[in-house]
Amino acid sequence: PASISFSVSEADGEIYFTGIVRDLTEIKVLQDRIIQTERLAALGQFVAEISHEIKNPLMMIGGFARQLANETDDDRARSKLDIIVSEVSRLENLLNEFRDLYSPKSLEMQDLDINGLVREVYDLVRDDCSMKHIHVEFNPDPGQLMVTGDRAKLKQVLLNLTKNAMEAMETGGRLSLGTRRNEKRVEITVADDGCGIAEEHRDRVFSPFFTGKKKGSGLGLSVSKEIVEQHPHSTLTFESQKGKGTVFKLSMQLNLSEKK
């Protein structure tokens, strides 16, 4: 930040001038945020319109391919049609993620117990983990950990983090979900002992379209971070070691009215 030197003999005058500089700085930051919001709103509208135009023909292609696959007795033809269906589904998911990233979002805020939400995610992934030889565990902090947030969006974030963790353990491993009270905050962790993230890639983990997966869209973590940052005083960070695993940490402010 730029510094301005100004001195007067009267202390009140100096304080007043400093106040003006501070106010102008805050106004500039606010103006930049407004410009960014307007740009994102325009981009979101464009993305929504393009997604709509692309999604309709994709649905038709996928639907006809499924119909033909069910009707044909030719194994080679069915195999090719199954590939079409799979790729159409992948493109539809990509469009949904792209829309989630750039479209304006309105959160439905409510008071919720983080332990209850993480347990829901744990229950949802247990069977998939078992089939993939992944031992999954949930280690909650005792008692209720109440926060204010969008339950569905936060669940989307946690499911995305657990999905990424499972995909990082191709030959099995250990997945740990946990919650921990840290003074006036709660920390939710999703940890795996998978392949880890290479050091040269860590600065780009939350960048749109960056992925280390063969078939990943590179949008899941970008969307997740944006959702988290829409929640006041919330952050999404990670630590990783190549070949040893990764820990993602979602930190949120506990409700001040919570009874300890």
Side-chain angles (χ1 to χ4, degrees), residues 37-98:
T37 300
E38 290 175 345
R39 287 176 178 171
L40 286 175
L43 182 57
Q45 181 63 31
F46 175 74
V47 168
E49 292 175 1
I50 292 296
S51 297
H52 178 74
E53 293 300 321
I54 295 176
K55 193 166 186 177
N56 285 341
L58 273 180
M59 290 176 63
M60 293 181 64
I61 293 169
F64 284 131
R66 290 187 187 92
Q67 184 178 342
L68 291 172
N70 292 331
E71 293 176 353
T72 184
D73 294 326
D74 186 327
D75 290 340
R76 291 184 62 187
R78 185 183 296 109
S79 177
K80 292 177 181 178
L81 289 166
D82 286 341
I83 292 173
I84 293 174
V85 171
S86 175
E87 290 302 301
V88 165
S89 178
R90 186 173 69 87
L91 288 173
E92 288 176 339
N93 290 334
L94 177 60
L95 281 177
N96 289 334
E97 290 180 341
F98 196 57

Side-chain angles (χ1 to χ4, degrees), residues 227-256:
I227 289 173
V228 171
E229 290 181 346
Q230 281 190 301
H231 288 74
H233 314 295
S234 300
T235 59
L236 179 62
T237 58
F238 74 95
E239 295 179 357
S240 184
Q241 281 188 285
K242 185 67 176 176
K244 294 187 177 181
T246 304
V247 180
F248 275 89
K249 181 189 294 183
L250 168 56
S251 176
M252 299 186 71
Q253 184 172 280
L254 286 167
N255 283 356
L256 297 178

Side-chain angles (χ1 to χ4, degrees), residues 1-63:
S3 60
I4 300 174
S5 177
F6 182 82
S7 61
V8 293
S9 56
E10 295 181 4
D12 291 341
E14 187 174 0
I15 293 172
Y16 177 69
F17 182 80
T18 303
I20 292 175
V21 173
R22 184 174 62 249
D23 289 345
L24 289 175
T25 302
E26 292 175 353
I27 290 172
K28 180 64 168 62
V29 170
L30 181 58
Q31 287 174 336
D32 289 342
R33 288 179 180 174
I34 292 172
I35 292 171
Q36 184 181 18
T37 300
E38 290 175 345
R39 287 176 178 171
L40 286 175
L43 182 57
Q45 181 63 31
F46 175 74
V47 168
E49 292 175 1
I50 292 296
S51 297
H52 178 74
E53 293 300 321
I54 295 176
K55 193 166 186 177
N56 285 341
L58 273 180
M59 290 176 63
M60 293 181 64
I61 293 169

Side-chain angles (χ1 to χ4, degrees), residues 11 13 23 58 66 126 146 172 181 184 196:
D23 289 345
L58 273 180
R66 290 187 187 92
R126 274 191 305 176
M146 301 299 295
R181 183 194 301 270
K184 296 181 179 180

Side-chain angles (χ1 to χ4, degrees), residues 186-222:
V186 58
E187 296 173 350
I188 307 105
T189 55
V190 179
D192 67 73
D193 58 4
C195 59
I197 302 169
E199 186 174 355
E200 63 269 22
H201 294 158
R202 290 173 197 167
D203 290 341
R204 303 174 60 196
V205 163
F206 294 115
S207 299
F209 303 109
F210 174 78
T211 179
K213 306 173 190 175
K214 294 179 180 179
K215 288 191 174 182
S217 67
L219 290 174
L221 286 176
S222 299

Side-chain angles (χ1 to χ4, degrees), residues 105-135:
K105 300 174 184 65
S106 57
L107 300 182
E108 297 182 6
M109 306 295 274
Q110 60 177 293
D111 292 340
L112 60 98
D113 176 24
I114 279 295
N115 276 341
L117 180 61
V118 180
R119 179 168 292 280
E120 282 183 25
V121 173
Y122 167 74
D123 290 337
L124 284 171
V125 303
R126 274 191 305 176
D127 289 343
D128 283 345
C129 285
S130 178
M131 289 188 291
K132 295 178 179 179
H133 307 290
I134 296 172
H135 173 74

